Amino acid sequence: MAPEAKKKIFWYSCLALILFLSGWGLSTMTSRINYQWYWNRVPQYFFFTGVTEHFPANKGVARVKKIDATHSSVELEYENGDVDHFKVLTDTLGVTDGGDVLETDIIGSTTGLNRGILITGLLTTLEISTYASLLGLFIGLFAGLGRISQNPMIKGLSTIYIEIIRGTPLLVQIFIFYFFIGSIMEFDRFFAGFMALGIFAGAYVAEIIRAGIQSINPGQMEAARSVGMNYVQAMIFIILPQALKRILPPLAGQFISLIKDSSLVSVIAITDLTKAGREVITSTFATFEIWFTVAGMYLVLTFSLSMLVRYIERRFSISD
Amino acid sequence: MIKIQDICKTFTVGLHTVKAVDHADCHVKKGQVVVIIGPSGSGKSTLLRCVNRLETIDSGQIIVDGTRITGKKVNINKIRAEVGMVFQSFNLFPHKTVRENINLAQIKVRKRSRAEADKKTDYLLEKVGIPEKADVYPAQLSGGQQQRVAIARALAMDPKIMLFDEPTSALDPEMVGEVLEVMLTLAKEGMTMLLVSHEMGFAREVADSVIMMDHGRIIEVGDPEHFFQNPTEARTKLFLSQIL
């Protein structure tokens, strides 16, 4: 074996050893505080099988038909002529063939896989981060261009925005957005949370975009202008595409931060992943398990994003 | 075609103020080729860049094809579309293929259709001698090829005037010839050209007049033979003895 390969194997072994020792250390430490692990309590908060009861929309007449060993189909003909179909478990049937049905009668129930609160929280986190990223990118683009503008008013406004947002804690901004601006403008909590996150991200995105634009050789702008393009055309077709390619890694870092920062909106009672985790803990007391699970779920989101960006970067490198 | 009248341009770098162009006058008639020479820092590139307003001037005026471009109400984009510019460092758009580089302004500024632009691009690539490179990116071309693409990009706008800012200075010696050849063809076709260059062989062959600049001033003007035979100024003699 080549000495190079030997060296590599040695260092990989060291890495594995360190990881093993850390894991072992963690487990011995938790055993010293007599913590009981109940990992089996976690999965039900991802998905659980539950019973759903079905109700008629109106008064009507039922037609019941058996379709297989356990299920029956119910056809409801309402008084106004509408027809509804249900498929329920035969054992739970609450109506008879040809019988009259009232709005309050249960037709029957079905069992199915329901979404647990951790998955709902994950989806909320994903949703709020996506909207906030788009808003941040939009604001950041204009604020970034404003920062390099020759016009003192535009430059001043962008600078003030960036300095205020970067100089105050996100948590405080979320409170201001929800309690102050949210009360005046009557935002719901989700909207307030997403606006606060988006405006926060915008300030950082603006600085990244400004740096990206300034890193492009001024000759590019001159060449674009010298063939008669105006400033906006030169920006859109020449400068921004090149800048975007260069700022993709820091931009991705900013959006990964945003996903993590979105956990702060749980303070205004948005049931995102973090708040979902807290709610699960209050009913299971499986504190360690849930926080590890929540951390893992955030990691899945952020890691997927960084993989996606790596893929895009490779696609972009064609012209190099 | 180009009238430069008594223009001044100063740069402020920190606490220093540099007079880049100092009361320069110059006149290029239609179809003429005028070469500007001079030591580095003499303001020759600045003078050239003023002609399509990549630099703004402090005083004086510049008239290009009957339009006073230094006026306030001038649509500079319209003027620039009529004035081709070739840079020392090529400045091709690296994220676009050669074809896209040449097509872009035709479509966005001249409002040509894609097919028309393609036709023009193919014709120009043939003219500068690299028709086979239409679909590669600039990074895959040699310096000489990149500069020829840059010339084609400028020509695609059907300019009335071409400006060249040291077009061969960033090239390996063996590639200078291919670029000069394209420029020679252009000059012989009657293109009005103003160029900053130290290619005295090229100047001798096609230039109608040569301008010598030093410290922002035009110190000597004459036809190429005058510069080769008996330049009057001592500074010109010294400069030429160093570059020839």
Side-chain angles (χ1 to χ4, degrees), chain A residues 205-243:
Chain A
V205 170
E207 283 296 273
I208 293 172
I209 286 179
R210 177 194 59 74
I213 290 171
Q214 285 178 336
S215 78
I216 303 297
N217 185 341
Q220 290 291 309
M221 180 53 102
E222 287 182 354
R225 298 304 300 272
S226 76
V227 286
M229 280 189 235
N230 60 37
Y231 180 81
V232 176
Q233 285 175 324
M235 267 293 162
I236 292 175
F237 300 118
I238 306 302
I239 307 298
L240 285 177
Q242 294 183 58

mmCIF file of all heavy atoms in Angstrom, chain A residues 205-243:
data_model
loop_
_atom_site.group_PDB
_atom_site.id
_atom_site.type_symbol
_atom_site.label_atom_id
_atom_site.label_comp_id
_atom_site.label_asym_id
_atom_site.label_seq_id
_atom_site.Cartn_x
_atom_site.Cartn_y
_atom_site.Cartn_z
ATOM 1 N N VAL A 205 -28.358 39.647 3.656
ATOM 2 C CA VAL A 205 -28.306 39.357 2.221
ATOM 3 C C VAL A 205 -27.826 40.591 1.459
ATOM 4 O O VAL A 205 -27.035 40.499 0.523
ATOM 5 C CB VAL A 205 -29.684 38.889 1.711
ATOM 6 C CG1 VAL A 205 -29.709 38.818 0.195
ATOM 7 C CG2 VAL A 205 -30.030 37.528 2.297
ATOM 8 N N ALA A 206 -28.282 41.775 1.888
ATOM 9 C CA ALA A 206 -27.884 43.022 1.224
ATOM 10 C C ALA A 206 -26.370 43.185 1.246
ATOM 11 O O ALA A 206 -25.759 43.519 0.224
ATOM 12 C CB ALA A 206 -28.554 44.212 1.901
ATOM 13 N N GLU A 207 -25.769 42.935 2.395
ATOM 14 C CA GLU A 207 -24.314 43.088 2.494
ATOM 15 C C GLU A 207 -23.591 42.051 1.631
ATOM 16 O O GLU A 207 -22.573 42.342 1.024
ATOM 17 C CB GLU A 207 -23.865 42.950 3.959
ATOM 18 C CG GLU A 207 -24.136 44.196 4.772
ATOM 19 C CD GLU A 207 -23.340 45.395 4.279
ATOM 20 O OE1 GLU A 207 -22.198 45.591 4.711
ATOM 21 O OE2 GLU A 207 -23.872 46.151 3.435
ATOM 22 N N ILE A 208 -24.150 40.842 1.572
ATOM 23 C CA ILE A 208 -23.541 39.797 0.736
ATOM 24 C C ILE A 208 -23.630 40.206 -0.739
ATOM 25 O O ILE A 208 -22.658 40.102 -1.488
ATOM 26 C CB ILE A 208 -24.251 38.440 0.960
ATOM 27 C CG1 ILE A 208 -23.979 37.942 2.370
ATOM 28 C CG2 ILE A 208 -23.798 37.419 -0.061
ATOM 29 C CD1 ILE A 208 -24.787 36.719 2.767
ATOM 30 N N ILE A 209 -24.795 40.716 -1.141
ATOM 31 C CA ILE A 209 -24.979 41.106 -2.540
ATOM 32 C C ILE A 209 -24.094 42.301 -2.892
ATOM 33 O O ILE A 209 -23.471 42.336 -3.951
ATOM 34 C CB ILE A 209 -26.471 41.380 -2.820
ATOM 35 C CG1 ILE A 209 -27.207 40.048 -2.879
ATOM 36 C CG2 ILE A 209 -26.659 42.170 -4.122
ATOM 37 C CD1 ILE A 209 -28.687 40.140 -3.134
ATOM 38 N N ARG A 210 -23.992 43.257 -1.976
ATOM 39 C CA ARG A 210 -23.115 44.404 -2.220
ATOM 40 C C ARG A 210 -21.685 43.936 -2.441
ATOM 41 O O ARG A 210 -21.029 44.317 -3.405
ATOM 42 C CB ARG A 210 -23.156 45.379 -1.037
ATOM 43 C CG ARG A 210 -22.210 46.553 -1.193
ATOM 44 C CD ARG A 210 -22.005 47.309 0.112
ATOM 45 N NE ARG A 210 -21.477 46.469 1.176
ATOM 46 C CZ ARG A 210 -20.234 46.038 1.260
ATOM 47 N NH1 ARG A 210 -19.364 46.370 0.328
ATOM 48 N NH2 ARG A 210 -19.845 45.261 2.244
ATOM 49 N N ALA A 211 -21.212 43.060 -1.546
ATOM 50 C CA ALA A 211 -19.840 42.565 -1.674
ATOM 51 C C ALA A 211 -19.674 41.802 -2.990
ATOM 52 O O ALA A 211 -18.655 41.928 -3.666
ATOM 53 C CB ALA A 211 -19.499 41.665 -0.492
ATOM 54 N N GLY A 212 -20.688 41.028 -3.363
ATOM 55 C CA GLY A 212 -20.622 40.260 -4.601
ATOM 56 C C GLY A 212 -20.505 41.154 -5.813
ATOM 57 O O GLY A 212 -19.682 40.925 -6.694
ATOM 58 N N ILE A 213 -21.314 42.199 -5.842
ATOM 59 C CA ILE A 213 -21.290 43.117 -6.983
ATOM 60 C C ILE A 213 -19.948 43.837 -7.050
ATOM 61 O O ILE A 213 -19.349 43.975 -8.111
ATOM 62 C CB ILE A 213 -22.440 44.139 -6.878
ATOM 63 C CG1 ILE A 213 -23.776 43.429 -7.101
ATOM 64 C CG2 ILE A 213 -22.265 45.270 -7.897
ATOM 65 C CD1 ILE A 213 -24.980 44.293 -6.812
ATOM 66 N N GLN A 214 -19.451 44.259 -5.876
ATOM 67 C CA GLN A 214 -18.192 44.999 -5.872
ATOM 68 C C GLN A 214 -16.997 44.117 -6.205
ATOM 69 O O GLN A 214 -15.944 44.628 -6.559
ATOM 70 C CB GLN A 214 -18.003 45.687 -4.516
ATOM 71 C CG GLN A 214 -18.919 46.900 -4.399
ATOM 72 C CD GLN A 214 -18.812 47.594 -3.062
ATOM 73 O OE1 GLN A 214 -18.419 46.983 -2.071
ATOM 74 N NE2 GLN A 214 -19.167 48.864 -3.020
ATOM 75 N N SER A 215 -17.186 42.787 -6.087
ATOM 76 C CA SER A 215 -16.067 41.900 -6.410
ATOM 77 C C SER A 215 -15.944 41.666 -7.915
ATOM 78 O O SER A 215 -14.957 41.108 -8.378
ATOM 79 C CB SER A 215 -16.239 40.554 -5.701
ATOM 80 O OG SER A 215 -17.182 39.754 -6.393
ATOM 81 N N ILE A 216 -16.945 42.083 -8.678
ATOM 82 C CA ILE A 216 -16.858 41.898 -10.133
ATOM 83 C C ILE A 216 -16.003 43.022 -10.718
ATOM 84 O O ILE A 216 -16.186 44.188 -10.389
ATOM 85 C CB ILE A 216 -18.270 41.926 -10.772
ATOM 86 C CG1 ILE A 216 -19.168 40.849 -10.153
ATOM 87 C CG2 ILE A 216 -18.189 41.743 -12.279
ATOM 88 C CD1 ILE A 216 -18.714 39.442 -10.376
ATOM 89 N N ASN A 217 -15.067 42.648 -11.578
ATOM 90 C CA ASN A 217 -14.165 43.606 -12.223
ATOM 91 C C ASN A 217 -14.952 44.767 -12.845
ATOM 92 O O ASN A 217 -15.888 44.540 -13.601
ATOM 93 C CB ASN A 217 -13.400 42.841 -13.305
ATOM 94 C CG ASN A 217 -12.350 43.685 -13.977
ATOM 95 O OD1 ASN A 217 -12.387 44.912 -13.907
ATOM 96 N ND2 ASN A 217 -11.420 43.025 -14.628
ATOM 97 N N PRO A 218 -14.581 46.027 -12.507
ATOM 98 C CA PRO A 218 -15.309 47.166 -13.073
ATOM 99 C C PRO A 218 -15.319 47.166 -14.596
ATOM 100 O O PRO A 218 -16.209 47.753 -15.222
ATOM 101 C CB PRO A 218 -14.537 48.384 -12.553
ATOM 102 C CG PRO A 218 -13.602 47.899 -11.528
ATOM 103 C CD PRO A 218 -13.504 46.414 -11.600
ATOM 104 N N GLY A 219 -14.330 46.496 -15.199
ATOM 105 C CA GLY A 219 -14.275 46.387 -16.657
ATOM 106 C C GLY A 219 -15.529 45.753 -17.241
ATOM 107 O O GLY A 219 -15.915 46.052 -18.370
ATOM 108 N N GLN A 220 -16.177 44.886 -16.461
ATOM 109 C CA GLN A 220 -17.399 44.242 -16.948
ATOM 110 C C GLN A 220 -18.514 45.264 -17.138
ATOM 111 O O GLN A 220 -19.225 45.240 -18.134
ATOM 112 C CB GLN A 220 -17.848 43.157 -15.951
ATOM 113 C CG GLN A 220 -16.937 41.962 -15.924
ATOM 114 C CD GLN A 220 -17.030 41.155 -17.197
ATOM 115 O OE1 GLN A 220 -18.113 40.796 -17.633
ATOM 116 N NE2 GLN A 220 -15.895 40.870 -17.794
ATOM 117 N N MET A 221 -18.650 46.154 -16.152
ATOM 118 C CA MET A 221 -19.668 47.201 -16.259
ATOM 119 C C MET A 221 -19.323 48.119 -17.431
ATOM 120 O O MET A 221 -20.179 48.477 -18.227
ATOM 121 C CB MET A 221 -19.739 47.974 -14.937
ATOM 122 C CG MET A 221 -20.757 49.094 -14.911
ATOM 123 S SD MET A 221 -22.438 48.614 -15.375
ATOM 124 C CE MET A 221 -23.271 48.501 -13.818
ATOM 125 N N GLU A 222 -18.043 48.490 -17.554
ATOM 126 C CA GLU A 222 -17.626 49.380 -18.639
ATOM 127 C C GLU A 222 -17.900 48.751 -19.997
ATOM 128 O O GLU A 222 -18.402 49.411 -20.913
ATOM 129 C CB GLU A 222 -16.137 49.708 -18.511
ATOM 130 C CG GLU A 222 -15.852 50.665 -17.369
ATOM 131 C CD GLU A 222 -14.381 51.020 -17.264
ATOM 132 O OE1 GLU A 222 -13.565 50.427 -18.004
ATOM 133 O OE2 GLU A 222 -14.060 51.883 -16.440
ATOM 134 N N ALA A 223 -17.584 47.443 -20.113
ATOM 135 C CA ALA A 223 -17.802 46.767 -21.394
ATOM 136 C C ALA A 223 -19.291 46.744 -21.731
ATOM 137 O O ALA A 223 -19.693 46.985 -22.864
ATOM 138 C CB ALA A 223 -17.239 45.346 -21.342
ATOM 139 N N ALA A 224 -20.118 46.470 -20.709
ATOM 140 C CA ALA A 224 -21.561 46.405 -20.949
ATOM 141 C C ALA A 224 -22.103 47.773 -21.342
ATOM 142 O O ALA A 224 -22.891 47.904 -22.272
ATOM 143 C CB ALA A 224 -22.270 45.892 -19.698
ATOM 144 N N ARG A 225 -21.637 48.821 -20.633
ATOM 145 C CA ARG A 225 -22.104 50.164 -20.957
ATOM 146 C C ARG A 225 -21.597 50.609 -22.318
ATOM 147 O O ARG A 225 -22.277 51.325 -23.041
ATOM 148 C CB ARG A 225 -21.645 51.178 -19.893
ATOM 149 C CG ARG A 225 -22.166 50.936 -18.489
ATOM 150 C CD ARG A 225 -23.661 50.857 -18.375
ATOM 151 N NE ARG A 225 -24.362 52.050 -18.808
ATOM 152 C CZ ARG A 225 -24.643 53.086 -18.027
ATOM 153 N NH1 ARG A 225 -24.287 53.076 -16.775
ATOM 154 N NH2 ARG A 225 -25.303 54.126 -18.501
ATOM 155 N N SER A 226 -20.370 50.174 -22.691
ATOM 156 C CA SER A 226 -19.772 50.663 -23.936
ATOM 157 C C SER A 226 -20.493 50.114 -25.170
ATOM 158 O O SER A 226 -20.354 50.657 -26.251
ATOM 159 C CB SER A 226 -18.279 50.337 -24.002
ATOM 160 O OG SER A 226 -18.095 48.983 -24.312
ATOM 161 N N VAL A 227 -21.253 49.029 -25.021
ATOM 162 C CA VAL A 227 -22.047 48.578 -26.172
ATOM 163 C C VAL A 227 -23.465 49.141 -26.115
ATOM 164 O O VAL A 227 -24.346 48.695 -26.845
ATOM 165 C CB VAL A 227 -22.096 47.040 -26.319
ATOM 166 C CG1 VAL A 227 -20.784 46.516 -26.838
ATOM 167 C CG2 VAL A 227 -22.493 46.370 -25.025
ATOM 168 N N GLY A 228 -23.690 50.114 -25.229
ATOM 169 C CA GLY A 228 -24.962 50.831 -25.249
ATOM 170 C C GLY A 228 -26.003 50.328 -24.267
ATOM 171 O O GLY A 228 -27.125 50.822 -24.262
ATOM 172 N N MET A 229 -25.648 49.348 -23.439
ATOM 173 C CA MET A 229 -26.633 48.893 -22.443
ATOM 174 C C MET A 229 -26.777 49.964 -21.368
ATOM 175 O O MET A 229 -25.803 50.631 -21.020
ATOM 176 C CB MET A 229 -26.157 47.595 -21.775
ATOM 177 C CG MET A 229 -26.396 46.362 -22.603
ATOM 178 S SD MET A 229 -26.038 44.904 -21.623
ATOM 179 C CE MET A 229 -24.866 44.111 -22.659
ATOM 180 N N ASN A 230 -27.990 50.104 -20.820
ATOM 181 C CA ASN A 230 -28.136 51.041 -19.704
ATOM 182 C C ASN A 230 -27.758 50.330 -18.400
ATOM 183 O O ASN A 230 -27.461 49.141 -18.394
ATOM 184 C CB ASN A 230 -29.551 51.627 -19.661
ATOM 185 C CG ASN A 230 -30.615 50.565 -19.496
ATOM 186 O OD1 ASN A 230 -30.416 49.589 -18.777
ATOM 187 N ND2 ASN A 230 -31.740 50.740 -20.166
ATOM 188 N N TYR A 231 -27.774 51.097 -17.317
ATOM 189 C CA TYR A 231 -27.293 50.569 -16.036
ATOM 190 C C TYR A 231 -28.072 49.320 -15.619
ATOM 191 O O TYR A 231 -27.495 48.317 -15.195
ATOM 192 C CB TYR A 231 -27.419 51.652 -14.973
ATOM 193 C CG TYR A 231 -26.952 51.242 -13.599
ATOM 194 C CD1 TYR A 231 -25.598 51.259 -13.266
ATOM 195 C CD2 TYR A 231 -27.868 50.840 -12.627
ATOM 196 C CE1 TYR A 231 -25.165 50.875 -12.011
ATOM 197 C CE2 TYR A 231 -27.443 50.451 -11.367
ATOM 198 C CZ TYR A 231 -26.093 50.476 -11.065
ATOM 199 O OH TYR A 231 -25.671 50.092 -9.816
ATOM 200 N N VAL A 232 -29.400 49.377 -15.777
ATOM 201 C CA VAL A 232 -30.239 48.258 -15.335
ATOM 202 C C VAL A 232 -29.961 47.009 -16.175
ATOM 203 O O VAL A 232 -29.798 45.903 -15.647
ATOM 204 C CB VAL A 232 -31.737 48.644 -15.424
ATOM 205 C CG1 VAL A 232 -32.613 47.459 -15.058
ATOM 206 C CG2 VAL A 232 -32.019 49.811 -14.503
ATOM 207 N N GLN A 233 -29.858 47.188 -17.488
ATOM 208 C CA GLN A 233 -29.551 46.047 -18.356
ATOM 209 C C GLN A 233 -28.196 45.440 -17.997
ATOM 210 O O GLN A 233 -28.059 44.224 -17.895
ATOM 211 C CB GLN A 233 -29.514 46.493 -19.824
ATOM 212 C CG GLN A 233 -30.894 46.749 -20.422
ATOM 213 C CD GLN A 233 -30.793 47.316 -21.835
ATOM 214 O OE1 GLN A 233 -29.898 48.099 -22.141
ATOM 215 N NE2 GLN A 233 -31.725 46.919 -22.685
ATOM 216 N N ALA A 234 -27.204 46.308 -17.786
ATOM 217 C CA ALA A 234 -25.866 45.824 -17.453
ATOM 218 C C ALA A 234 -25.903 45.036 -16.144
ATOM 219 O O ALA A 234 -25.265 43.986 -16.018
ATOM 220 C CB ALA A 234 -24.890 46.988 -17.342
ATOM 221 N N MET A 235 -26.664 45.530 -15.163
ATOM 222 C CA MET A 235 -26.797 44.824 -13.895
ATOM 223 C C MET A 235 -27.440 43.457 -14.097
ATOM 224 O O MET A 235 -26.949 42.444 -13.620
ATOM 225 C CB MET A 235 -27.671 45.641 -12.932
ATOM 226 C CG MET A 235 -26.891 46.560 -12.030
ATOM 227 S SD MET A 235 -25.895 45.609 -10.893
ATOM 228 C CE MET A 235 -24.734 46.859 -10.364
ATOM 229 N N ILE A 236 -28.564 43.441 -14.812
ATOM 230 C CA ILE A 236 -29.355 42.214 -14.928
ATOM 231 C C ILE A 236 -28.637 41.152 -15.759
ATOM 232 O O ILE A 236 -28.606 39.983 -15.394
ATOM 233 C CB ILE A 236 -30.742 42.523 -15.541
ATOM 234 C CG1 ILE A 236 -31.559 43.352 -14.554
ATOM 235 C CG2 ILE A 236 -31.486 41.234 -15.895
ATOM 236 C CD1 ILE A 236 -32.895 43.813 -15.102
ATOM 237 N N PHE A 237 -28.038 41.577 -16.883
ATOM 238 C CA PHE A 237 -27.479 40.568 -17.791
ATOM 239 C C PHE A 237 -26.011 40.255 -17.523
ATOM 240 O O PHE A 237 -25.548 39.171 -17.840
ATOM 241 C CB PHE A 237 -27.644 41.009 -19.245
ATOM 242 C CG PHE A 237 -29.076 41.204 -19.647
ATOM 243 C CD1 PHE A 237 -29.536 42.456 -20.043
ATOM 244 C CD2 PHE A 237 -29.967 40.149 -19.596
ATOM 245 C CE1 PHE A 237 -30.858 42.637 -20.397
ATOM 246 C CE2 PHE A 237 -31.287 40.325 -19.945
ATOM 247 C CZ PHE A 237 -31.737 41.567 -20.343
ATOM 248 N N ILE A 238 -25.280 41.231 -16.977
ATOM 249 C CA ILE A 238 -23.834 41.043 -16.859
ATOM 250 C C ILE A 238 -23.365 40.915 -15.408
ATOM 251 O O ILE A 238 -22.706 39.944 -15.039
ATOM 252 C CB ILE A 238 -23.078 42.208 -17.540
ATOM 253 C CG1 ILE A 238 -23.555 42.369 -18.985
ATOM 254 C CG2 ILE A 238 -21.567 41.998 -17.475
ATOM 255 C CD1 ILE A 238 -23.409 41.154 -19.858
ATOM 256 N N ILE A 239 -23.684 41.901 -14.585
ATOM 257 C CA ILE A 239 -23.081 41.940 -13.247
ATOM 258 C C ILE A 239 -23.731 40.934 -12.295
ATOM 259 O O ILE A 239 -23.047 40.109 -11.687
ATOM 260 C CB ILE A 239 -23.158 43.364 -12.654
ATOM 261 C CG1 ILE A 239 -22.570 44.389 -13.634
ATOM 262 C CG2 ILE A 239 -22.425 43.420 -11.314
ATOM 263 C CD1 ILE A 239 -21.127 44.205 -13.965
ATOM 264 N N LEU A 240 -25.057 40.987 -12.165
ATOM 265 C CA LEU A 240 -25.718 40.130 -11.174
ATOM 266 C C LEU A 240 -25.507 38.624 -11.428
ATOM 267 O O LEU A 240 -25.266 37.886 -10.479
ATOM 268 C CB LEU A 240 -27.206 40.468 -11.067
ATOM 269 C CG LEU A 240 -27.502 41.772 -10.308
ATOM 270 C CD1 LEU A 240 -28.999 42.067 -10.312
ATOM 271 C CD2 LEU A 240 -26.983 41.717 -8.881
ATOM 272 N N PRO A 241 -25.608 38.147 -12.688
ATOM 273 C CA PRO A 241 -25.366 36.707 -12.872
ATOM 274 C C PRO A 241 -23.983 36.268 -12.392
ATOM 275 O O PRO A 241 -23.838 35.215 -11.789
ATOM 276 C CB PRO A 241 -25.502 36.514 -14.386
ATOM 277 C CG PRO A 241 -26.320 37.642 -14.858
ATOM 278 C CD PRO A 241 -25.999 38.802 -13.953
ATOM 279 N N GLN A 242 -22.975 37.118 -12.656
ATOM 280 C CA GLN A 242 -21.626 36.759 -12.212
ATOM 281 C C GLN A 242 -21.504 36.864 -10.706
ATOM 282 O O GLN A 242 -20.860 36.042 -10.051
ATOM 283 C CB GLN A 242 -20.599 37.680 -12.866
ATOM 284 C CG GLN A 242 -20.497 37.499 -14.356
ATOM 285 C CD GLN A 242 -19.416 38.387 -14.942
ATOM 286 O OE1 GLN A 242 -18.255 38.312 -14.564
ATOM 287 N NE2 GLN A 242 -19.789 39.245 -15.867
ATOM 288 N N ALA A 243 -22.131 37.913 -10.145
ATOM 289 C CA ALA A 243 -22.063 38.112 -8.694
ATOM 290 C C ALA A 243 -22.781 36.965 -7.986
ATOM 291 O O ALA A 243 -22.275 36.417 -7.009
ATOM 292 C CB ALA A 243 -22.684 39.451 -8.318
#
